[in-house]
Amino acid sequence: MSRTEEGRRKIRVLVGGVFDILHVGHIHFLSQAKALGDELIVIVAHDETVRRQKRREPVNSAEDRAELLRALAVVDEVYIGSPGGIDYELVKRINPDIVAIGPDQAFSCERLKEELRKHGIGADVVRIPYLYKSDRAKTSKIIQRIIETYCD
């Protein structure tokens, strides 16, 4: 168990996502999640998970996405998830106090909290709201703009 300088236990916040083309929406999400605690841990979606959920190839590999996230001051640890769904064993090892869900992630907070409990994980689940809703904060819209601007 890690402790802060004041001697109290550090609050660990866990987020997961694709983070394929890092953009301002990701930065706002990560910053708001970090504000919920002391440590921010990120699980980056495995490439197979991106293919299945987004029905497209990831622009950047999971390893590259993880490296970019590790470079952000707000992020303390980064892991690459397993192919498929939520890796509850990894989540259990991370032992978060809070799991923060992005505004566009298709999870029910209550259902996720129940699933975490079934796997012996006592974290609270919090949905982070959009700071503002904009096409500049959506990877699919950024990809679309790139195609429209630079492809014949």
Side-chain angles (χ1 to χ4, degrees), residues 7 9 21 36 41 43 55 63 76 78 84 98 107 114 121:
R9 187 179 162 285
I21 297 175
L36 297 172
I41 299 91
I43 299 177
R55 295 185 183 97
E63 291 79 12
D76 295 293
V78 179
I98 300 168
F107 289 105
E114 288 173 24
I121 303 161

Side-chain angles (χ1 to χ4, degrees):
M1 170 177 14
S2 55
R3 299 199 171 272
T4 64
E5 289 178 16
E6 300 87 36
R8 68 173 172 78
R9 187 179 162 285
K10 287 186 179 182
I11 303 299
R12 296 172 62 86
V13 179
L14 174 65
V15 300
V18 175
F19 303 102
D20 198 6
I21 297 175
L22 205 54
H23 55 68
V24 68
H26 292 132
I27 301 305
H28 291 168
F29 169 61
L30 294 168
S31 297
Q32 289 177 86
K34 175 69 177 245
L36 297 172
D38 303 300
E39 296 177 323
L40 180 61
I41 299 91
V42 179
I43 299 177
V44 174
H46 190 280
D47 291 341
E48 286 300 320
T49 304
V50 176
R51 288 182 194 104
R52 194 185 81 251
Q53 290 182 351
K54 302 289 186 177
R55 295 185 183 97
R56 67 169 172 80
E57 278 297 312
V59 174
N60 294 294
S61 71
E63 291 79 12
D64 288 351
R65 291 180 277 128
E67 186 174 338
L68 285 168
L69 288 162
R70 284 186 191 102
L72 299 177
V74 71
V75 175
D76 295 293
E77 295 176 37
V78 179
Y79 298 89
I80 296 173
S82 300
I86 297 171
D87 182 345
Y88 289 102
E89 287 306 311
L90 175 57
V91 174
K92 199 173 202 175
R93 284 196 315 271
I94 292 169
N95 191 26
D97 298 288
I98 300 168
V99 174
I101 304 301
D104 62 345
Q105 290 179 311
F107 289 105
S108 155
C109 289
E110 285 307 312
R111 188 174 303 137
L112 179 57
K113 196 171 185 174
E114 288 173 24
E115 284 299 314
L116 290 169
R117 297 267 185 280
K118 286 180 189 175
H119 289 86
I121 303 161
D124 195 15
V125 178
V126 175
R127 183 168 305 275
I128 302 290
Y130 281 111
L131 277 183
Y132 58 85
K133 202 166 185 174
S134 164
D135 284 354
R136 62 183 252 233
K138 289 202 58 65
T139 303
S140 60
K141 298 295 185 181
I142 293 168
I143 292 171
Q144 183 180 341
R145 282 199 317 273
I146 291 169
I147 290 168
E148 290 170 356
T149 303
Y150 298 104
C151 297
D152 293 328

